[in-house]
């Protein structure tokens, strides 16, 4: 790799070299090398050895972090999709019990539910192909219907459906971001 002084890493390396040279100059009385494994290591070699080993370790850790981050995004999207499975069924059926709810709203909710099921299948297949433990059994929290969804009080019923749609909106904005960030990186799309 060519070093360019516009890269921060190059400055750090340069600083390290200059510091070592200065120290080297000032420690003329210190033994010229340290014996280890029957080999004489100069201060200069030692410093490079340490910096080299440390930067090698850091580069491994950074690529692990990168992979972990992918995995976390995909798993979070998957978790949100799974958690919504049962509540979405309830949402669709409850909407149709409310007076004056236009058919367009009910058919939109049904359509959303179908599309979410399709995304869920896609995410599941990405997980099994990309992640090592992708096939591990999931433990979804059990969904018990909100008491307000069962209430006969129509105002409370409407409020609870409204709250549910608002949560759905928040959660799916997250899924949208996670999956699109992943798509950009995995497919190496520029400017997205
Ligand atoms: C780099 O990692 C190896 C293996 O884990 C370790 O033995 C070594 O001490 C590390 N190097 C530094 C400079 O921390």
């Amino acid at each position: 790799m060519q070093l360019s002084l516009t890269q921060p890493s190059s400055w750090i390396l340069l600083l390290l070299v200059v510091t070592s040279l200065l120290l080297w100059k000032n420690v003329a009385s210190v033994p010229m090398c340290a014996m280890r494994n029957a080999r004489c290591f100069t201060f200069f070699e030692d410093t490079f050895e340490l910096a080299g080993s440390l930067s090698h370790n850091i580069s491994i850790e950074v690529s692990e972090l990168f992979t972990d981050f992918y995995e976390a995004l995909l798993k979070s999207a998957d978790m949100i999709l799974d958690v919504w499975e049962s509540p979405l069924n309830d949402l669709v059926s409850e909407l149709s019990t409310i007076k004056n709810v236009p058919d367009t709203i009910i058919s939109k909710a049904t359509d959303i539910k179908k599309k979410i099921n399709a995304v869920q299948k896609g995410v599941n297949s990405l997980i099994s192909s990309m992640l090592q433990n992708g096939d591990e059994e999931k433990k979804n929290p059990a969904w018990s219907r909100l008491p307000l969804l069962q209430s006969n009080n129509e105002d409370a019923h409407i409020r609870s459906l409204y709250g549910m749609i608002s949560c759905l909106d928040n959660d799916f904005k997250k899924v949208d971001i996670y999956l699109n960030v992943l798509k950009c990186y995995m497919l190496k799309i520029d400017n997205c």
Side-chain angles (χ1 to χ4, degrees):
M1 186 196 78
Q2 224 178 3
L3 284 180
S4 146
L5 290 185
T6 53
Q7 291 172 325
S9 55
S10 310
W11 280 108
I12 292 170
L13 190 62
L14 185 68
L15 197 65
L16 202 67
V17 172
V18 172
T19 315
S20 305
L21 285 173
L22 289 176
L23 282 171
W24 184 246
K25 236 180 121 202
N26 293 337
V27 290
S29 56
V30 168
M32 295 295 281
C33 67
M35 291 300 292
R36 269 201 320 276
N37 301 332
R39 219 196 111 188
C40 164
F41 282 85
T42 63
F43 174 78
F44 204 53
E45 279 175 319
D46 264 357
T47 310
F48 263 120
E49 184 106 339
L50 181 66
S53 161
L54 202 54
S55 63
H56 178 69
N57 290 3
I58 291 169
S59 98
I60 293 173
E61 281 171 31
V62 171
S63 54
E64 282 170 3
L65 182 70
F66 202 41
T67 312
D68 290 351
F69 190 63
Y70 277 171
E71 292 189 12
L73 285 184
L74 201 54
K75 283 182 176 164
S76 301
D78 184 48
M79 193 190 73
I80 295 175
L81 290 162
D82 282 349
V83 157
W84 271 100
E85 202 173 321
S86 307
L88 265 173
N89 289 333
D90 287 348
L91 180 72
V92 172
S93 58
E94 293 298 323
L95 273 175
S96 40
T97 66
I98 297 198
K99 269 184 272 160
N100 303 327
V101 170
D103 286 349
T104 48
I105 291 193
I106 296 165
S107 62
K108 190 171 267 182
T110 312
D111 186 49
I112 289 173
K113 192 177 97 64
K114 281 189 200 143
K115 286 179 178 157
I116 286 174
N117 288 344
V119 175
Q120 199 175 8
K121 287 203 180 85
V123 168
N124 276 331
S125 60
L126 283 175
I127 287 186
S128 11
S129 61
M130 284 169 58
L131 311 186
Q132 276 171 351
N133 299 319
D135 289 329
E136 75 193 15
E137 207 176 314
K138 293 180 205 161
K139 295 182 196 80
N140 290 344
W143 158 254
S144 45
R145 300 173 86 217
L146 296 175
L148 284 178
L149 281 181
Q150 298 164 33
S151 126
N152 288 327
N153 175 336
E154 187 159 282
D155 287 355
H157 205 159
I158 287 174
R159 257 200 301 278
S160 93
L161 282 175
Y162 186 83
M164 223 173 141
I165 295 173
S166 145
C167 287
L168 185 68
D169 185 37
N170 273 331
D171 280 357
F172 276 84
K173 284 197 170 88
K174 286 185 206 138
V175 172
D176 179 30
I177 292 170
Y178 298 164
L179 295 181
N180 279 294
V181 165
L182 276 173
K183 184 186 87 180
C184 273
Y185 280 101
M186 299 306 289
L187 305 184
K188 301 188 176 16
I189 299 171
D190 290 333
N191 304 322
C192 66

